Amino acid sequence: MTVLVIGGSGFLGTELIRQAAMAGHATAATYATRPGTTSHAAWYPLDLRDPRRVDTVMAEVGAEIVVNASSGKADWAVTAQGPVRLAMAAAKYGSRLVHVSSDAVFSGAQVHYDESCLPDPVTPYGAAKAAAETGVLLVDPQAVVARTSLIIGGGNSEHERLVHQLAAGTRDGALFTDDIRCPVHVADLAAALLDLACSDATGVHHLAGPDAVSRHELGILIARRDGLDTSRLPTGLRAHSTLPGALDVRLDSRATQRKLRTTLRGAHQFCTTPT
């Protein structure tokens, strides 16, 4: 079986390639600016804004499974429209598509969100991700849309790097005590995405850890795991900052967890062992 990872040079994409290759799958991956460093994949440049290039890559690779782990931030052409182009090509070539979405599609007004909850984004990024979800499932009803939360693991995530920089005093900022999410370990997330890809699941699924923690609580867990001085981690309130976005968004992944072979660990569990 051939697996194509869109956005393979990113944090999640790198782990997806590693696990797909370890499982014995022929693996290909795309990149926007430069290929990843792993030799476990055949690399293809891809701009999701270019429908002809999307079609060309899909035709050349001929993948049975396509996992879209790309990140275009708030760029509408990449984040909202790109996945729809990908879904059209997946439907054309008979590929099974798993599209990675985000808890940013929610406002936080409801706090607890399961798969039946409708998106109500409050940021341009969240709006783009929500539009992508709708477009992907409209074009390819057999696709999987997998919403996730903060991705942690291996010391290489954005949040882990921030914690180390704050503890070292090399970066200004604060870890918010009122910004709450359900972090997931990158290895668990990648394994769960491949579980869904190899199943008959369709539609929206949630892939987040069971522990709801603030960004500051998560920072404390990471600092303790890595032997850092937790007293050096500054705190703040997102509500008092100029940063847009939801405060408290807790993805309920229990329904999806029952379908998985992979256990989605909580932050208190996956931060108890060294990276």
Side-chain angles (χ1 to χ4, degrees):
M1 181 181 295
T2 300
V3 176
L4 172 61
V5 179
I6 308 298
S9 57
F11 180 48
L12 174 58
T14 299
E15 180 63 17
L16 280 164
I17 292 170
R18 187 188 72 81
Q19 291 196 25
M22 285 186 61
H25 301 306
T27 307
T30 72
Y31 62 93
T33 55
R34 59 181 181 274
T37 57
T38 179
S39 60
H40 295 302
W43 290 95
Y44 295 80
L46 177 64
D47 185 340
L48 285 174
R49 297 170 296 184
D50 183 348
R52 287 181 295 183
R53 181 59 184 166
V54 171
D55 190 88
T56 296
V57 171
M58 291 290 290
E60 287 184 11
V61 176
E64 287 87 352
I65 292 173
V66 178
V67 182
N68 180 24
S70 63
S71 175
K73 301 190 183 299
D75 186 324
W76 190 267
V78 176
T79 302
Q81 297 174 331
V84 180
R85 298 185 186 100
L86 190 61
M88 293 173 66
K92 176 180 177 180
Y93 293 106
S95 301
R96 176 156 170 74
L97 176 63
V98 177
H99 170 69
V100 180
S101 189
S102 167
D103 57 12
V105 302
F106 296 122
S107 70
Q110 188 171 320
V111 179
H112 298 276
Y113 294 90
D114 64 18
E115 288 88 345
S116 68
C117 295
L118 297 178
D120 61 340
V122 293
T123 64
Y125 172 70
K129 295 298 281 188
E133 290 186 4
T134 300
V136 164
L137 293 177
L138 182 64
V139 169
D140 186 1
Q142 301 304 307
V144 169
V145 168
R147 296 178 184 139
T148 192
S149 190
L150 296 179
I151 307 173
I152 307 298
N156 296 318
S157 70
E158 180 179 344
H159 195 79
E160 287 166 293
R161 292 197 300 270
L162 173 61
V163 169
H164 277 255
Q165 291 164 353
L166 290 173
T170 59
R171 178 170 173 176
D172 294 329
L175 297 176
F176 297 130
T177 57
D178 60 345
D179 188 335
I180 299 172
R181 297 294 187 272
C182 294
V184 64
H185 195 281
V186 66
D188 298 347
L189 177 57
L193 289 167
L194 293 173
D195 278 356
L196 289 174
C198 294
S199 74
D200 58 359
T202 62
V204 176
H205 291 76
H206 285 182
L207 298 177
D211 297 344
V213 297
S214 72
R215 289 181 185 263
H216 180 257
E217 288 175 303
L218 179 59
I220 293 293
L221 290 172
I222 292 168
R224 288 175 178 166
R225 180 198 67 188
D226 296 346
L228 305 177
D229 183 355
T230 59
S231 69
R232 294 183 61 84
L233 300 180
T235 63
L237 291 174
R238 183 166 184 163
H240 292 170
S241 77
T242 59
L243 291 176
L247 292 180
D248 193 342
V249 176
R250 310 182 189 199
L251 292 186
D252 183 344
S253 303
R254 289 176 294 179
T256 297
Q257 178 66 85
R258 290 192 287 268
K259 303 175 184 179
L260 301 174
R261 294 176 298 174
T262 301
T263 298
L264 298 169
R265 295 169 292 167
H268 287 94
Q269 182 178 0
F270 64 67
C271 284
T272 57
T273 55
T275 56

